[in-house]
Amino acid sequence: MDICKHCQSKSLAANKLVESEIEELEHSCVSVDFLQGEIIFKQDALSSNIIYIRTGLVKVHIKGPDRDQILKIAKGPTYLGIPTTLGDKVNNYSATSLTHVSVCFVDIRTFRHFIENNSEFAYEIILDLCKEELSYYHRCVNQLQKHSAGRVADALLFFADEIYLSKTFNLPLSRSELGDLTGNSRESVSRILAEFNQQQIIQLKGRGIAIINHSLLKEIGKKG
Amino acid sequence: MDICKHCQSKSLAANKLVESEIEELEHSCVSVDFLQGEIIFKQDALSSNIIYIRTGLVKVHIKGPDRDQILKIAKGPTYLGIPTTLGDKVNNYSATSLTHVSVCFVDIRTFRHFIENNSEFAYEIILDLCKEELSYYHRCVNQLQKHSAGRVADALLFFADEIYLSKTFNLPLSRSELGDLTGNSRESVSRILAEFNQQQIIQLKGRGIAIINHSLLKEIGKKG
DNA sequence: ATTAAAATGTGATATGTATCACATTCCTAA
DNA sequence: TTAGGAATGTGATACATATCACATTTTAAT
């Protein structure tokens, strides 16, 4: 079928694979589509495949002592959950689709095989892991030290600048999920968004958001 | 000198190196000792070496919007800062010795060379990165969702169970640093420790700590 | 030994944010 | 079209924890 060979959303690592490896990949890779709100993989279940998000938006979330914590919003094309698949026998967190999502499940043995036989592939995976970890450090420190409004501001900027690349977008999360992402209660999120709306920093209509004063939002995000 | 060949604290990855690679390592590896409180590498400086802690305790910390955040306490033997060295040109965080520390600086080109030529080495590094990331996820969620006392309890248990392997130990951190680690103010840390002492959960004398009621401390850590 | 500087302890107060309670709006299914 | 449930908005209140202010202790330097 040449699915992988001509895949439009190949990863940097997959680009390092040679012809024969691409062929191997095609035989041990399954493409699955998810509707919005479906569980792609679940915390505590056995982890047996490397997940590659071709298109769509996914939330990665983990059970906290109190409530669900959204670790990140991932946008295809990207690998998802390499750490939880290679680093442990069971998933340390869950992934749920936020939009229609197209996913490739790659057999872990094949993936491992690539790492062991193609050092360029391995190096790209290592770089990816490193960058992920660095960005997570920054995210986490921001979460820990900023005040609620700053965290919500950051989240809005993240969606505008990194996910939708537009000042106008529809939030793919409920208020409650936005709380799980930013470490706020549902009510606080509501209040903060209402406040931003009031101050003409954003224009709010349900989940529809238009960022009006981008620089001020950035200021709020920076100050905490 | 055969420094590396007979090194007592070789990493899992380094154990996969063949004779000739070990030799290469010896030529591009410098061993340096640090006293307590010295900076091993500094945030925003150019990152040009992979750091391997042979012995000693190190704090990894990052500048937050508000104050310093201690990302983790690392204990040799362990790699330190692979993400910040491979993932970016400059260090994304700092490392400071908490005790006498013996460090190997490995030239990044040599390290990269190993990854590219020794797939078992690469795989061990990948596993290490994955496990680091997973443990960081859990740490971070705990930090975000637990209450102050729970976070301090966790920190004490961490030192007892994972660093010193003893119920009695001397904290390698000031109250203020313990605050940076647990996301509390210096004053709150003082109060919480005093409270634990009062309730006979720990016995406190300056930085000297004896854990008396381990299970209750664990309970506090779990509940938040 | 003496003194200065740093680290720590502790009460009073301020503040940010969760929680509770309930009203309102939105969405879906019959 | 209506009914019922889910999602959301909003005020009042409670609570955890930072901050401020200052006392006390410890540590290091002379």
Side-chain angles (χ1 to χ4, degrees), chain B residues 104-155:
Chain B
C104 293
F105 288 82
V106 182
D107 189 281
I108 190 174
R109 281 163 303 179
T110 302
F111 194 81
R112 190 169 172 164
H113 196 223
F114 292 160
I115 292 173
E116 283 168 354
N117 289 284
N118 185 327
S119 63
E120 288 192 71
F121 181 87
Y123 196 71
E124 289 295 338
I125 295 297
I126 287 178
L127 280 189
D128 194 71
L129 287 171
C130 287
K131 284 179 183 159
E132 263 306 310
E133 194 164 331
L134 291 186
S135 88
Y136 191 65
Y137 282 152
H138 291 289
R139 271 204 308 280
C140 190
V141 172
N142 283 338
Q143 291 276 69
L144 285 167
Q145 295 195 4
K146 284 178 184 172
H147 285 184
S148 337
R151 300 196 301 264
V152 173
D154 279 350

Side-chain angles (χ1 to χ4, degrees), chain A residues 129-164:
Chain A
L129 287 171
C130 287
K131 284 179 184 158
E132 263 305 312
E133 194 164 331
L134 290 186
S135 88
Y136 190 64
Y137 282 152
H138 292 287
R139 272 206 305 280
C140 190
V141 172
N142 283 338
Q143 291 276 71
L144 285 167
Q145 296 196 3
K146 282 179 185 172
H147 285 183
S148 341
R151 299 195 302 263
V152 173
D154 279 350
L156 295 179
L157 290 169
F158 167 75
F159 282 114
D161 299 343
E162 290 177 49
I163 299 293
Y164 296 110

Side-chain angles (χ1 to χ4, degrees), chain B residues 86-105:
Chain B
L86 295 182
D88 200 352
K89 289 199 179 65
V90 296
N91 292 316
N92 283 231
Y93 43 80
S94 306
T96 304
S97 60
L98 293 174
T99 61
H100 180 103
V101 169
S102 176
V103 176
C104 293
F105 288 82

